[in-house]
Amino acid sequence: MAPNSNHIQIGFPSLPAPASTTHFAFLTEWLNDCDENHRGCDPVKKYPPPTRLIDLGSPDAPVVRLIQTTTTETVKYIALSHPWGQGHSFCTFSHNLAQHKAAIPVRSPNFPDTFRDAIAATRALGVRYLWIDSICIIQGPDGDFEKEAKRMEDVFSAAYCVIAASSARGQRDGFLRTRKERQFLQLRGESSSSLYVCRFIDNFAEHVLNGPLSKRGWVLQERALARRTIYFTDWQTYWECGCGVRCETLTKIDNKLVSFLGDPSFPSKLSSFDRGERIRFYEDLYRQYSRLNFTRLTDRPVAIAGLEQRMINNLKAKGGYGIFHDGGSLLSRSLLWRRGAEASTLNRVDFSKAKQKEGKSLPSWSWMAYDGAIDYLDLPLGGVDWRNDAVLDPFSSPSSGRNDPSNETAVLKAMARPFVFEPVGERGESVDVILDAGNAQGVTGWEGWKAVVVGTRRIAKGDHRTHYLLIITALTEGDGHETIYQRIGVGYMPGGFLGEEGVQRVTVG
């Protein structure tokens, strides 16, 4: 039987060398095709340009320097997504700002290869301006990182394109380097044409999503906010925009699960989901984000702030700190996060050096206040009676719903009940307590715990009904002042473990 030519892929058996004329021509064609045919992938023009950009100069005057933009101008620029890595980083500080405005020392041996490759790629794609976080944001205690970090949505949504150093582990690695060789066999026919049997190397999930760059906390938001991204990996170059993923091998990947974060108008592709499905998706997104790495743990609430605001708008809710409130059950449900199974403990992040002097830390009921992986209690869909009056809206003040440690910390007003028995399951009872600091078994002091019941499972009756609850304990008390509580874990158990007397409204900070 004659082979079906429709099933034979057209492509390169051997990919062009990185940074070659052919390689960059291929990438330029991706951009041109998207410009001409993908109307929804255009950069967002409503945002002002980044505060600073790197001007790569012209062929006649190729001096690379840092420039200050104005809010009224429209600038075509490329943004770099890259890992900082360990050791010394090349940065702009207040003491070298004037030097970088005159000329950035790109020929110096101390200038990172990843940045040098970004300059080469940006020029080859016909773009004059480049944004790199460590150069365009003034670093150090007298810098403007706190201010500029809040503008990441603007930076990545307005970029003409994002280039991602997916194969790099630090600033010094570069990404236009020799790639792993693709193996193939040539089959010669009777005519002059040939067929090639090539090793399959189209693995966006492994090369990009599970690559070293994607383990960096900031990158999840960068990918979701970018209109289109070019990923440079050890195997090949990938393209992602609102119309899917394309490979340098000429394969196109259409994966709905992958495409949600590649949506240039994230989270518009979730509009066909019902409310429950969207909530599940966002919980999975937070699970993933909580497992990513940060050079500075204090970046954890900021590095997803732009993305979170879009999710809040999509749910028609209020929120912040990884918690949503829609006036219904969403607040109670999102408070039931738990320490991840692989995390032996969740440690509080010290925000004292990251915030303004008048600011406070993130609240204890936000998982963003901790370092470590989180999950959520496994709740039966449609099987919980939510007690929406058990916790009051913590986002009623204008500043309390922002992921900004410099704002006044939001407080949670909650109805708390005492424990009357140690919360340990016996006689087949369904009991589980997950403390943020570690395993609940053998932990003393439960007599000082209080429970905030936010929901009850619908099956069974009376004291046998399973309650889903936050576990809190007193943080400060006495001297005539209000007692402030802090969250120490979550759990579920029958009502017989909880007292009916001594129920009171408390403040959880």
Side-chain angles (χ1 to χ4, degrees):
M1 186 172 74
N4 186 342
S5 60
N6 293 329
H7 292 169
I8 299 176
Q9 180 180 325
I10 297 175
F12 301 111
S14 181
L15 300 181
S20 65
T21 301
T22 303
H23 184 216
F24 283 134
F26 196 80
L27 307 185
T28 302
E29 191 58 33
W30 272 341
L31 270 171
N32 292 339
D33 178 63
C34 189
D35 285 340
E36 296 172 6
N37 300 306
H38 303 166
R39 193 172 294 177
C41 298
D42 295 336
V44 179
K45 297 180 181 179
K46 67 178 181 179
Y47 298 121
T51 303
R52 301 174 197 89
L53 286 168
I54 302 169
D55 182 354
L56 304 185
S58 64
D60 297 330
V63 176
V64 178
R65 61 191 182 94
L66 190 64
I67 63 168
Q68 195 91 11
T69 65
T70 65
T71 57
T72 57
E73 63 182 317
T74 300
V75 185
K76 182 178 180 181
Y77 66 92
I78 282 176
L80 174 67
S81 178
H82 71 99
W84 282 51
Q86 302 296 321
H88 176 74
S89 299
F90 187 92
C91 300
T92 295
F93 298 98
S94 58
H95 66 79
N96 63 4
L97 176 61
Q99 175 190 346
H100 285 183
K101 285 186 174 181
I104 297 173
V106 296
R107 297 185 182 277
S108 166
N110 294 324
F111 192 72
D113 285 342
T114 297
F115 296 174
R116 190 174 285 111
D117 287 351
I119 291 173
T122 301
R123 283 173 169 164
L125 295 173
V127 179
R128 177 166 178 167
Y129 299 98
L130 172 65
W131 183 89
I132 300 175
D133 53 1
S134 65
I135 296 179
C136 296
I137 298 175
I138 302 174
Q139 309 294 319
D142 55 350
D144 57 3
F145 173 82
E146 301 296 334
K147 173 186 174 183
E148 293 297 311
K150 301 171 188 176
R151 296 198 58 211
M152 289 303 100
E153 179 178 10
D154 302 6
V155 170
F156 283 88
S157 296
Y160 176 62
C161 182
V162 173
I163 54 177
S166 296
S167 61
R169 287 171 171 77
Q171 291 185 356
R172 306 289 164 181
D173 289 349
F175 55 85
L176 295 177
R177 57 194 182 191
T178 302
R179 299 179 290 195
K180 295 180 180 179
E181 187 174 351
R182 187 189 193 190
Q183 298 175 327
F184 64 89
L185 294 175
Q186 183 178 10
L187 305 179
R188 299 183 183 274
E190 295 180 358
S191 62
S192 58
S193 61
S194 298
L195 294 178
Y196 296 88
V197 179
C198 304
R199 180 181 179 183
F200 182 80
I201 61 170
D202 302 331
N203 196 336
F204 185 78
E206 185 63 27
H207 300 163
V208 175
L209 303 184
N210 295 328
L213 178 63
S214 293
K215 293 179 173 61
R216 177 175 175 252
W218 283 92
V219 169
L220 181 70
Q221 176 173 260
E222 292 170 1
R223 179 183 172 218
L225 297 179
R227 310 298 283 182
R228 54 249 185 121
T229 305
I230 300 174
Y231 301 94
F232 295 86
T233 78
D234 285 331
W235 286 96
Q236 63 169 309
T237 311
Y238 293 90
W239 164 276
E240 183 179 36
C241 69
C243 293
V245 174
R246 297 187 180 186
C247 311
E248 199 176 342
T249 60
L250 299 185
T251 300
K252 183 176 180 181
I253 300 173
D254 185 14
N255 185 322
K256 291 183 178 180
L257 292 176
V258 167
S259 69
F260 288 131
L261 282 178
D263 177 9
S265 300
F266 179 89
S268 64
K269 288 188 177 182
L270 296 174
S271 58
S272 61
F273 283 29
D274 63 32
R275 179 174 175 275
E277 289 174 320
R278 278 181 285 164
I279 291 172
R280 290 284 193 182
F281 176 84
Y282 294 148
E283 287 179 350
D284 286 341
L285 199 64
Y286 282 147
R287 284 188 184 96
Q288 178 184 346
Y289 180 74
S290 73
R291 287 162 170 80
L292 301 179
N293 302 321
F294 288 93
T295 303
R296 294 178 291 206
L297 289 173
T298 51
D299 289 353
R300 201 176 198 197
V302 184
I304 200 173
L307 193 60
E308 181 171 70
Q309 189 57 54
R310 290 194 184 187
M311 295 189 288
I312 290 170
N313 295 340
N314 181 259
L315 289 168
K316 297 180 174 57
K318 295 187 288 184
Y321 315 112
I323 305 297
F324 298 124
H325 177 47
D326 63 351
S329 63
L330 191 52
L331 175 59
S332 297
R333 183 183 183 98
S334 59
L335 286 169
L336 292 175
W337 57 268
R338 52 158 291 176
R339 172 174 48 85
E342 72 272 38
S344 59
T345 185
L346 296 179
N347 297 313
R348 288 294 292 268
V349 177
D350 180 9
F351 288 96
S352 61
K353 296 180 181 179
K355 55 186 175 56
Q356 299 173 2
K357 292 182 179 179
E358 67 271 22
K360 299 179 181 179
S361 181
L362 265 64
S364 65
W365 42 267
S366 164
W367 56 265
M368 291 186 182
Y370 302 84
D371 174 23
I374 62 115
D375 289 311
Y376 289 85
L377 289 186
D378 187 13
L379 306 173
L381 288 173
V384 177
D385 290 325
W386 295 104
R387 301 190 178 186
N388 298 331
D389 60 343
V391 286
L392 301 183
D393 179 9
F395 305 111
S396 55
S397 67
S399 65
S400 61
R402 301 173 189 165
N403 290 6
D404 181 3
S406 68
N407 290 322
E408 184 176 354
T409 300
V411 295
L412 192 70
K413 297 290 187 178
M415 295 299 296
R417 301 168 61 180
F419 285 86
V420 294
F421 297 107
E422 182 178 2
V424 177
E426 297 178 357
R427 300 180 302 277
E429 293 174 313
S430 179
V431 178
D432 197 9
V433 170
I434 306 100
L435 295 181
D436 302 333
N439 197 321
Q441 299 300 323
V443 175
T444 59
W446 64 268
E447 297 89 348
W449 297 354
K450 290 186 181 296
V452 178
V453 178
V454 296
T456 303
R457 191 164 186 175
R458 287 178 181 162
I459 62 172
K461 297 180 180 180
D463 288 346
H464 296 290
R465 298 184 70 190
T466 297
H467 296 309
Y468 300 99
L469 47 90
L470 301 180
I471 302 173
I472 61 176
T473 190
L475 179 63
T476 60
E477 58 183 324
D479 299 328
H481 298 291
E482 178 187 16
T483 300
I484 304 298
Y485 288 78
Q486 66 175 345
R487 172 197 150 121
I488 59 171
V490 292
Y492 57 84
M493 62 194 65
F497 285 89
L498 307 175
E500 295 293 339
E501 298 181 359
V503 179
Q504 60 180 332
R505 181 79 65 182
V506 301
T507 298
V508 186

